[in-house]
Amino acid sequence: MEIKEQEETLVNESGLNFVEQEIKNDLAAGKNGGRLSTRFPPEPNGYLHIGHAKAFLMDFGAAEKFGGTCNLRFDDTNPQKEDMEYVNAIKEDIHWLGYDWGDRLYYASDYFPQLYDLAIRMIKEGKAYVDEQSSEEIARQKGTPTKAGENSPYRDRPIEENLDLFERMNKGEFEEGSMVLRAKIDMASDNMHFRDPIMYRIIKIPHWRTGETWKVYPMYDFAHGQSDYFEGVTHSICTLEFVPHRPLYEWFVKELADETYCPRQIEFNRLNLTYTVMSKRKLLQLVREGLVNGWDDPRMPTLRGLRRRGYTPTSIKDFISRIGYTRFEALNHIELLEHSLREDLNKTATRVSVVQNPVKLILDNYPEGQTEIMTMDNNPENLSEGTHEMPFTRELWIEREDFMENPPKKFFRLSPEKEVRLKGAYIIKCTGVEKDAEGNITAIHATYDPESRSGLPGADRKVKGTLHWVSVPTAVEAEIRDYDRLFAVENPSAEEGDFRDLLNPDSLKIRKNAKIEPWLAERLKAGDHYQFQRLGYYVVDTDSTPEHPVFNKSIGLKDTWAKEMKK
Ligand code: ATP
Ligand code: MG
């Protein structure tokens, strides 16, 4: 898969993407009596990721735009992998992005009786048969796109025998894998999906909703279109891999439908993101094997992972509208997603002072025991957000990286005999350092210029560097979790071998002794966003407590994407 150039939303003159335009055309043509009904059909076998968000933003979004409705339907046709845990999480995540299904919550398992009746009817009409071959045998007979398949030896068994066997399959008389119900269509069809597709297989573990009632479960192709039909769905929007399924979708629906109404399937391109994987199976593996710290690990592309990382609904929606909906598969750059987040947080995040890798700075000419209160803007991009106060004292924490004993030419931060400005406070001059026995710097000494206090005329003096700082006596210690790409390669799904070998071993760095200003320490609330001056955007983690504040780094300040765009 080529990395496709990112483009602005791919919309027409009326601001509609191609799916919305199709819907608009159908409505204008009076199809389905001018009714619009969509659905989002997650299988409750994992947590939603940002790709699913692309899908349900379309389903709910189109319904909203054209005055229709959107159902939430759990596609719970496989009791082997599904769970209530996922159902609740999926609902929460959809709500988080601002959508609601009202009273239109459905389960494919609600249709098991109707689907079973339809299967019986098809058997009676000679359109379905019980095949006793192994799955390997069935696969072998399937043929290839250029070579016709072979008929199963069971294809022409008498209707009565099919009926009897199918009913006994459902009573649990046969082992899993010993037989399946297949539609009798055409083993020579150009479309492989028409080569006598499997309608039902035997699964003996209980279903989390229907319990022991069923021992046969419908396959996706037999359940999906019918479920759409039962619900009166008019537009069944899904991803491109279902294009070859569409004729079969329509074929099965026609077994039920009259002339007046048939749901219409429309397909768009999946969201794929660089440096991550989107397959639920692989994400589950990462969680189960402890390669990440759960579904909500801030490195995961799941909606709860992104949320914990500090992503906002606005940023996710903005990103999805930028990549747009097309009929071409693409790999989307994670930098664009980060760009969307940075744009949002730049407008909204409160600016605070945090020193993540502290070293002590002592102002030798500043009176011991004195505290001055400095005033800091909460958001220079939006002054209406006001200011907050920060104590200034003789001993301060600054970043270790902001000092160099033997600096190169263009180092504008602190070094011996050089001056810098302490943000919102004074200009200081370095006078020397203290070291331990190994030669590590344990403290930096400086003097401050009392005339240079922020706001006084003496502050206008030109000094190249400005450092952030936190007062030692009032600082609160915090943990900062700094994240990098989950995978070390751009497109892990395209690589040979085990995807787990491609994980970035340095995707999580933890700093335990960051120093945060007291004003921040007083208002810690999980999920709140801040810009740490000069460091980046951070979010209060759910592990955070007043005694042990914890932050996740959401994203750095530097916008590599905006830079790319200017090139
Ligand atoms: P699987 O079917 O392999 O378990 P899935 O990711 O397709 O995984 P579903 O629960 O079936 O999971 O997905 C629900 C809906 O979300 C489907 O309509 C599917 O097309 C859509 N979807 C899934 N992944 C993406 C993606 N990466 N981009 C856009 N839509 C997606
Ligand atoms: Mg699927």
Side-chain angles (χ1 to χ4, degrees):
M1 190 165 28
E2 285 287 293
I3 294 210
K4 210 172 142 278
E5 273 308 298
Q6 304 286 346
E7 293 162 58
E8 284 300 298
T9 320
L10 300 153
V11 293
N12 62 18
E13 319 75 57
S14 350
L16 301 178
N17 63 50
F18 86 95
V19 182
E20 293 168 336
Q21 187 58 52
E22 290 293 327
I23 292 174
K24 193 178 173 193
N25 295 347
D26 287 348
L27 291 175
K31 273 198 197 167
N32 308 304
R35 196 170 57 80
L36 171 65
S37 166
T38 60
R39 88 288 168 265
F40 176 58
E43 184 176 356
N45 63 350
Y47 287 76
L48 296 185
H49 55 56
I50 189 168
H52 296 116
K54 176 173 177 175
F56 74 71
L57 254 58
M58 166 57 77
D59 301 324
F60 285 101
E64 209 170 77
K65 195 172 250 175
F66 297 105
T69 52
C70 179
N71 301 347
L72 173 61
R73 182 202 314 143
F74 286 102
D75 180 18
D76 57 346
T77 50
N78 183 354
Q80 285 158 324
K81 295 181 288 183
E82 295 161 4
D83 211 305
M84 192 65 199
E85 169 201 351
Y86 300 126
V87 168
N88 292 330
I90 289 170
K91 289 183 187 170
E92 250 178 50
D93 288 346
I94 298 172
H95 277 152
W96 180 56
L97 281 180
Y99 291 101
D100 188 52
W101 47 93
D103 56 1
R104 292 172 303 278
L105 174 64
Y106 302 102
Y107 295 87
S109 55
D110 290 341
Y111 311 127
F112 285 166
Q114 284 127 292
L115 291 169
Y116 186 81
D117 289 348
L118 175 62
I120 297 281
R121 196 182 90 204
M122 287 177 63
I123 296 173
K124 287 183 178 163
E125 292 172 0
K127 293 175 182 164
Y129 62 97
V130 172
D131 196 339
E132 287 175 54
Q133 300 181 99
S134 67
S135 54
E136 293 76 26
E137 194 62 16
I138 291 173
R140 198 190 56 74
Q141 286 170 352
K142 192 118 204 197
T144 66
T146 52
K147 189 171 143 276
E150 290 162 46
N151 286 352
S152 160
Y154 298 97
R155 198 171 197 264
D156 293 315
R157 74 191 327 161
I159 287 174
E160 286 314 313
E161 208 175 294
N162 284 319
L163 269 180
D164 175 59
L165 286 173
F166 185 55
E167 279 164 5
R168 286 166 57 201
M169 276 166 71
N170 193 39
K171 287 193 186 118
E173 290 185 24
F174 307 113
E175 288 315 302
E176 285 187 16
S178 63
M179 45 184 84
V180 291
L181 183 71
R182 295 177 76 179
K184 196 184 213 175
I185 308 182
D186 179 6
M187 288 304 290
S189 172
D190 292 341
N191 185 328
M192 298 287 286
H193 296 282
F194 276 90
R195 296 185 183 176
D196 290 8
I198 296 173
M199 293 162 60
Y200 271 93
R201 76 275 206 214
I202 302 171
I203 299 174
K204 291 201 167 168
I205 64 172
H207 187 282
W208 65 279
R209 288 191 82 234
T210 59
E212 307 265 4
T213 312
W214 306 94
K215 299 285 186 295
V216 291
Y217 287 89
M219 301 296 289
Y220 174 88
D221 280 323
F222 187 65
H224 199 83
Q226 330 296 58
S227 303
D228 284 345
Y229 181 83
F230 297 139
E231 284 171 21
V233 166
T234 58
H235 294 79
S236 183
I237 310 164
C238 60
T239 35
L240 284 170
E241 71 271 23
F242 292 104
V243 169
H245 294 251
R246 194 196 320 144
L248 183 59
Y249 174 99
E250 290 170 355
W251 194 91
F252 276 131
V253 170
K254 287 217 175 78
E255 288 297 313
L256 292 164
D258 57 27
E259 303 301 303
T260 57
Y261 155 66
C262 175
R264 176 180 176 196
Q265 179 178 304
I266 306 176
E267 311 84 6
F268 64 83
N269 64 332
R270 295 178 80 87
L271 187 163
N272 297 296
L273 211 50
T274 52
Y275 297 101
T276 190
V277 293
M278 217 61 97
S279 141
K280 278 197 269 189
R281 184 181 54 80
K282 288 179 182 167
L283 295 174
L284 180 65
Q285 216 173 341
L286 294 178
V287 173
R288 290 238 167 106
E289 293 173 16
L291 298 167
V292 294
N293 303 316
W295 285 100
D296 66 347
D297 186 300
R299 292 164 292 184
M300 292 278 272
T302 51
L303 292 178
R304 38 199 57 208
L306 291 169
R307 174 158 76 235
R308 194 166 175 190
R309 178 72 170 265
Y311 275 85
T312 57
T314 305
S315 62
I316 292 173
K317 289 184 194 170
D318 177 66
F319 167 69
I320 288 169
S321 86
R322 281 173 197 261
I323 59 171
Y325 294 80
T326 74
R327 285 191 187 274
F328 306 99
E329 290 295 359
L331 181 59
N332 307 111
H333 293 277
I334 198 164
E335 290 86 351
L336 183 60
L337 175 62
E338 293 171 341
H339 174 77
S340 293
L341 178 62
R342 198 178 282 111
E343 269 200 354
D344 186 24
L345 294 180
N346 183 41
K347 286 188 220 125
T348 56
T350 301
R351 273 60 170 172
V352 290
S353 296
V354 171
V355 173
Q356 63 172 353
N357 185 18
V359 63
K360 198 175 272 184
L361 172 72
I362 302 166
L363 304 176
D364 292 308
N365 62 339
Y366 194 87
E368 256 178 270
Q370 177 173 309
T371 301
E372 281 176 273
I373 299 299
M374 303 303 183
T375 303
M376 300 292 182
D377 286 332
N378 288 336
N379 188 347
E381 303 274 319
N382 180 3
L383 293 176
S384 72
E385 284 180 24
T387 57
H388 69 270
E389 297 183 335
M390 218 171 104
F392 184 87
T393 50
R394 185 172 193 262
E395 296 199 346
L396 305 168
W397 296 114
I398 62 168
E399 299 288 349
R400 204 163 266 282
E401 291 81 9
D402 281 339
F403 178 81
M404 271 183 103
E405 214 173 357
N406 300 299
K409 256 218 171 93
K410 296 230 155 144
F411 186 80
F412 297 124
R413 290 169 276 167
L414 196 58
S415 52
E417 302 306 319
K418 291 279 158 57
E419 283 193 327
V420 291
R421 190 185 303 277
L422 296 179
K423 191 169 176 63
Y426 291 100
I427 295 171
I428 61 156
K429 183 177 190 173
C430 175
T431 53
V433 295
E434 284 174 44
K435 292 184 182 177
D436 64 15
E438 276 96 58
N440 301 310
I441 293 171
T442 52
I444 298 164
H445 287 266
T447 53
Y448 86 113
D449 171 4
E451 305 296 309
S452 69
R453 183 175 162 152
S454 180
L456 297 181
D460 294 341
R461 198 142 60 74
K462 267 232 151 38
V463 173
K464 277 237 163 94
T466 300
L467 309 187
H468 63 278
W469 51 273
V470 172
S471 148
V472 169
T474 54
V476 173
E477 196 153 81
E479 175 175 331
I480 295 183
R481 300 176 185 165
D482 199 342
Y483 300 95
D484 198 353
R485 309 271 181 248
L486 182 53
F487 284 88
V489 299
E490 191 168 58
N491 189 3
S493 307
E495 304 281 329
E496 310 257 310
D498 192 328
F499 79 104
R500 291 167 297 185
D501 297 340
L502 306 170
L503 283 165
N504 173 8
D506 300 317
S507 59
L508 170 59
K509 287 200 189 84
I510 297 179
R511 293 177 192 268
K512 295 263 188 193
N513 67 336
K515 310 290 182 185
I516 70 176
E517 59 165 299
W519 185 79
L520 172 59
E522 280 160 21
R523 48 186 31 72
L524 295 173
K525 204 168 120 262
D528 278 358
H529 305 275
Y530 290 95
Q531 187 198 97
F532 292 180
Q533 305 272 11
R534 298 176 65 225
L535 298 179
Y537 295 99
Y538 293 76
V539 63
V540 183
D541 189 67
T542 43
D543 286 345
S544 194
T545 63
E547 297 71 40
H548 184 71
V550 181
F551 294 88
N552 293 315
K553 183 167 186 176
S554 305
I555 182 71
L557 293 175
K558 209 170 73 196
D559 194 339
T560 50
W561 183 259
K563 228 165 74 192
E564 278 299 307
M565 301 282 274
K566 284 201 203 99
K567 266 189 197 162

